[in-house]
Structure formats: structure tokens, C-alpha cells
Amino acid sequence: MNRFEQSLAELRARLPEQPEFGIVLGSGLGPIAQQIENPSVIPYGEIPHMAVTTNEDHAGRFLAGRLSGRRVLCMQGRLHGYEGYDPETIVYPIRLMKLLGIRALLLTNAAGGMNPDFAPGDLMIIEDHLNFTGKSPLTGANMDELGPRFHDMTYAYDPALRELADQATADCGITLHHGVYVGVNGPQFETPAEIRAYRLLGGDAVGMSTVFEVIAAAHCGLPVLAISMITNMAAGMLPKPLSGAEVNETADQHGGTLQTLIRRILERLPGQTL
Ligand code: HPA
């Protein structure tokens, strides 16, 4: 058995039913997982070959169960480059979920707002990204069984899923921005000069996750919907310093809005057509 098969064997043995959708919960957004009915809880450390998160704001476990009646497999906490993990390790659970048979992946993250029209607590559908980490999870030998050596990123953020998210927001009166996410390594927040540069290049929000996961999902043909919660205005946008505490406070305060949106999206996701 290769490492994926070993991980899958353990995961399958612990899952109550075959999940349809994968969900990754970002910094401070973990409490949404409490909405999952009768969840099976699987700490990452109990899956062979899975790395464990070192970030104290991230629980580091899979929760499997029903959310809005849909069968979901939720990652409460993700792995980041700033923890010292290489990009391939970070995307291992994304590939696992694909091999497990999920049909679409919903990613969430906390991000700093660079677009002056944004405010803390706002939500943004990611339309595209700028990968400023300088790295790719696909570096090295290609895994031909997962996808091609050179793969397309044009539709990495699935247009049909973005449209569905817009319809879901219209239902529940949430304001939803659309924009470009700039992925950086961190863990330091950006300098004001970096933020000015990213804005000039077309960035709307900046964060320390997501881009590797989206690259790996596109490689293996997994449709992605990604939503940022703007937890703070990015460095230099306001005359005050940034803090990790502010990120968590905003995520706590506005987590309910994201939760409502996720539920509406799940309700609207089509049965077998994706
Ligand atoms: N920069 C980078 N990552 C972040 C930020 C930010 O301002 N806010 C939340 N995650």
C-alpha cells in the first residue's frame, strides 16, 4: 500500500458515510464545525502520514457528518507554510479528500482587506489569486495518477460555484464581495509597502493560506469555492498596527454570517451534476 492508500484505509474506517463535500475552516472559523450533526471526530494525528497543525487557533482534526443535510468532511484547522511545512505536505489532506471521492471543496480563510471598499467582517468570494509564496505544491515529480504535469488554473476557482454562492447570498441578505486573494508565506503580517504593491497588482485581500490547496485541487480536477473573511484591514490601510488577536476577534464576531452562507451554499449545491 502506498501512503495515500494507508491514510485512506484509516479515514474510510472512521467515516460514518461517504462525504460529498470537503470544507476547510480557516483561522478563527473553526466553530462552524459545531453545527455538524453527530460528527465523527478524527484528529489529524490519527491518520497515517498526515501532518498535525502546530497553530493553537486551529484544532487539527477532521469532522465528518451532516451539515444542512449534506454529507460533509470538514477540516477544522489547516496546515500553513509558516509552520515550516512544505507545500506538498500542506496539500496532502486535499488530495486525500479527492481520492476519498468528494465532489467539491469549500475553502474558507481569514484575510486582510486591501480593497478600500472592504470592512472587517465582510466576506469575499475569491475569483483568482496571486501566489506570492514563491512555491508550488506540484514542484518535483508529477503524480500522474492525480493530474497532468502542466495544468490549467483559468477556472481553478469554479465559475459555477461562484455563481451559486452569489445566489445563496442574495437569499440571506449578506454582502458578498468578489476579489483577488494574494497568498503569502507569513507568519509576519505584511509591510505597508508590500500592501501598496499588492494593491497595484490587483489584489483585494491578503492571507497566509489557500493558494497551495487551490493549486492542488485544480491539478486533480476538484472544483473549488473559496471564501475569505476580511478580519482586518491590511497593513497601512489604517493608521494602526495589526494583531493576531484582532483577526480572531473579528472571526469570532462574524463567524455566524459565514456559517449562514455556508449552509445556504450547501443547500443549493446540486445532487450529482458537479
Ligand atoms: N495579512 C495576512 N494574513 C492575514 C491577514 C493579513 O492582514 N489577516 C488575516 N490573515
Side-chain angles (χ1 to χ4, degrees):
M1 273 210 275
N2 69 28
R3 64 194 169 124
F4 281 113
E5 286 164 352
Q6 288 171 0
S7 306
L8 281 172
E10 181 65 27
L11 202 49
R12 282 210 180 94
R14 310 267 302 255
L15 290 176
E17 50 189 353
Q18 165 69 38
E20 287 177 281
F21 303 109
I23 303 179
V24 179
L25 297 173
S27 299
L29 302 170
I32 295 168
Q34 281 152 16
Q35 300 279 313
I36 298 175
E37 295 149 34
N38 301 322
S40 301
V41 179
I42 312 158
Y44 298 155
E46 295 177 15
I47 303 288
H49 312 292
M50 258 293 294
V52 294
T53 168
T54 64
N55 188 330
E56 58 190 26
D57 300 325
H58 287 246
R61 56 194 195 168
F62 285 109
L63 285 115
R66 296 254 174 169
L67 190 58
S68 290
R70 311 307 292 262
R71 302 186 304 274
V72 299
L73 179 59
C74 189
M75 286 182 69
Q76 198 179 25
R78 54 151 63 87
L79 307 167
H80 301 84
Y82 64 72
E83 294 175 85
Y85 291 121
D86 59 69
E88 198 192 338
T89 304
I90 292 169
V91 303
Y92 188 75
I94 305 297
R95 289 171 161 165
L96 263 190
M97 289 195 278
K98 165 71 182 179
L99 294 169
L100 196 63
I102 64 160
R103 295 193 288 121
L105 182 63
L106 173 53
L107 300 173
T108 66
N109 61 46
M114 292 188 277
N115 183 321
D117 294 337
F118 293 1
D122 286 357
L123 298 177
M124 182 188 94
I125 293 287
I126 304 182
E127 302 226 303
D128 205 345
H129 75 220
L130 293 166
N131 176 6
F132 262 90
T133 67
K135 295 181 192 155
S136 165
L138 305 175
T139 303
N142 185 51
M143 292 187 187
D144 295 331
E145 63 282 20
L146 290 177
R149 169 77 291 184
F150 301 106
H151 78 279
D152 181 49
M153 287 292 289
T154 311
Y155 302 113
Y157 295 88
D158 190 84
L161 289 176
R162 284 189 267 145
E163 163 104 38
L164 187 139
D166 276 333
Q167 290 162 0
T169 20
D171 289 352
C172 50
I174 295 170
T175 310
L176 190 60
H177 303 290
H178 286 232
V180 172
Y181 177 89
V182 177
V184 296
N185 190 73
Q188 72 286 354
F189 289 117
E190 301 65 46
T191 63
E194 285 165 344
I195 294 300
R196 286 195 297 276
Y198 297 150
R199 281 178 64 186
L200 273 177
L201 293 172
D204 295 291
V206 58
M208 304 174 193
S209 67
T210 306
V211 292
F212 296 148
E213 295 156 8
V214 173
I215 292 168
H219 178 245
C220 65
L222 186 57
V224 168
L225 175 66
I227 306 173
S228 292
M229 171 172 291
I230 306 301
T231 50
N232 57 284
M233 292 312 285
M237 298 290 292
L238 298 174
K240 61 171 195 157
L242 271 53
S243 76
E246 181 189 0
V247 169
N248 287 334
E249 275 163 30
T250 314
D252 273 357
Q253 266 172 31
H254 297 272
T257 319
L258 183 57
Q259 201 168 296
T260 306
L261 178 58
I262 289 176
R263 296 191 78 122
R264 291 293 174 107
I265 289 169
L266 287 170
E267 284 160 19
R268 281 176 163 267
L269 278 167
Q272 288 299 329
T273 51
L274 268 174

